[in-house]
Each structure stands twice: as C-alpha cells, then as structure tokens.
Amino acid sequence: MVVVEENLKPDITDTALIFEGGGMRASYTAGALVTLLEAQLHFADVYGISAGSSHTVNYLSRDIWRARASFVEFMATPGTSGWGQFLRGRGFFHARYIYQEACMPGEKLPFDFEAFLNNEARAHIESWCYETGETAVFTKADMPTLYDLMTCVRASSTMPFFMPPVRIGGRTYYDGGIGDSWGLPLAQAQRDGYERFFIVRTQPRGYRKSPDKHPALTRALFPGRPKIAGRLLARWAHYNRILDEVDALEREGRAYVFYPERMDIKNTTTDQAALRASYEAGYAQAQRELAAWRAFLRLA
C-alpha cells in the first residue's frame, strides 16, 4: 500500500469528483485516478457507482498501488473470475473474495482502512435496493469497519446476472448502475449543492446506449424478479438523458469530462495484456490532460 502523503485534508471544495461505473473498463480510468493522486488533487466529495465505487474508496485511501492493481494485476489472481466461478454460484466475478476477503490485511489486495477513515473527504457510493425499488447512497456513516465498507462497494458493483446480489440489513442490493443515477451519480452531487463537476467517464465522447434488442431474453434471465429486468430495459433512455445533461454542463464550463480516447475492452474483460494496455493508455491520456485539469480547477 502507498499513501501519497500524510496530509489527508481535501483542498478542492467547489467541485465534485464523479467516477462512472463500467466494470473492467475502469482499468482505463484507473490511469486517471492514479494521475489525480500523483498530482495531489484532493476533492472534498467523491461519488462513485459500480466500478466507480472501487475508484472512490481507493482515491480516498490515496493508495496508488491499489488503484492500479484493483483493475489490472489482481485480476490474474486464480479464482477471481470466469465462468467456472459463475457455475459454482459465486458470480462471473467472485465478488465475496474480491470485495470482502482480498481487502483484508495480508491478503492479495489489502486496503488501507485507516487512511480512508482519516481522510476528511466524503464518500458517496450508490446501490439499488430490490425490496424498496429505491437507490441507496452509502456514506462513511455506513462503513464503520473495513468489512462494512467493502460490503457497500460490493453492493454497488453487483452486476445483475453476472454476480449474486448482496444482503445488507435484511435487504437485497444490486449494481448502482440500475439505480436512479443509471451509472453516473451526477444527480446526487447536484442534490448536495455542487454546481461544478469533474467527471471521469468509461466510454468515449459521443457514446450513447441503444435499446435492448432482446427484451424477452432479458426478462427470462430474471425469473420472479421482473423489477430488475424492467430497470435494465429502461436504462438506455435514462442513461442517455444524463449524458445529454453532462454535455450541457461541459458547454457551460461547469464540467470537465475525462473521456477515454478509445475503449478496446469490455466490462467483463480479464485478459492481463488487454487490461495492462488499457491502464497505460488511460494513464498516458491523463498525463496529457493534467494541465487542462488544473486550469478547470483553477489551480494552474
């Protein structure tokens, strides 16, 4: 673990930092996260969904090694992913191991919980509750222990069908990407009073989702749980509406958006060479944009 420096007090208080979800596409944006940490750009409020929730907690622990390893080297660990894990009921990504076991001291992906707690910045991680049909926003108040924290991250990251849901307080939670933010937690930052946003996307500029071509199959994947299928089938329109809003904020000068120049991997990619190349491309792009980041944040 590498904590960048001892001072854990944030100094960017007028702009919200937002990490989009996207599964293993976050290997690319891990390069942007590492650049933020290296440049000591410390935001007071950080918002994340799904893979973006992992970025959120890694950012708040200021751990450069873990920020990269979470989406590159760690995925080479036997038992982390694959259809064999899925057939055993653990999920295509073995979520319990990834989020709630490997994070412990002495394990493959240890998390610096003390640094996370000592950082005065606030975390906002979104998930979707099946029983209530409502979006849950987890903050540090919901994370008194490392296990609690990583359970929240797991809940936010539980891709429907690919991973088993998480139970918290007697309720069932799924990926925040089917919650009311639809994968990009802009609305929560706005509710918290922010008018300026630094947004880290996992899709290139101009990307928009298309309607599901096989709605009957989507419904069949969730027998007895039609609410999940309904959220998945409706997601494209809501997601695209949020992206239109992001475009408008960018035109107004109220958002800086980090868009991958290209995206060569999928959200389920586990090939090491592909993940490594994705990270390096994201890091190189972030380094090229760093001066523009500082200018937007009025730090230049």
Side-chain angles (χ1 to χ4, degrees), residues 224-237:
R225 298 216 156 181
K227 287 193 291 187
I228 299 175
R231 302 290 293 191
L232 290 169
L233 292 173
R235 187 181 178 215
W236 71 275

Side-chain angles (χ1 to χ4, degrees), residues 36 64 68 71 119 133 154 169 171 186 188 190 218 223 265 286:
L36 287 169
I64 288 175
R68 170 183 166 129
F71 292 96
N119 192 332
R154 179 184 172 187
R171 291 178 174 173
L186 173 65
Q188 183 59 44
Q190 291 171 322
T218 297
I265 64 172

Side-chain angles (χ1 to χ4, degrees), residues 217-286:
L217 175 59
T218 297
R219 293 188 181 95
L221 291 174
F222 302 98
R225 298 216 156 181
K227 287 193 291 187
I228 299 175
R231 302 290 293 191
L232 290 169
L233 292 173
R235 187 181 178 215
W236 71 275
H238 296 289
Y239 178 77
N240 290 349
R241 172 184 52 78
I242 292 171
L243 298 191
D244 291 342
E245 184 176 359
V246 169
D247 286 349
L249 289 168
E250 190 178 26
R251 288 193 300 270
E252 295 167 7
R254 295 201 289 129
Y256 187 101
V257 188
F258 177 84
Y259 287 103
E261 293 173 341
R262 56 186 295 176
M263 182 52 62
D264 298 326
I265 64 172
K266 300 178 180 179
N267 61 349
T268 55
T269 297
T270 58
D271 178 77
Q272 276 294 288
L275 294 175
R276 189 175 302 110
S278 176
Y279 170 83
E280 295 297 342
Y283 181 78
Q285 179 185 339

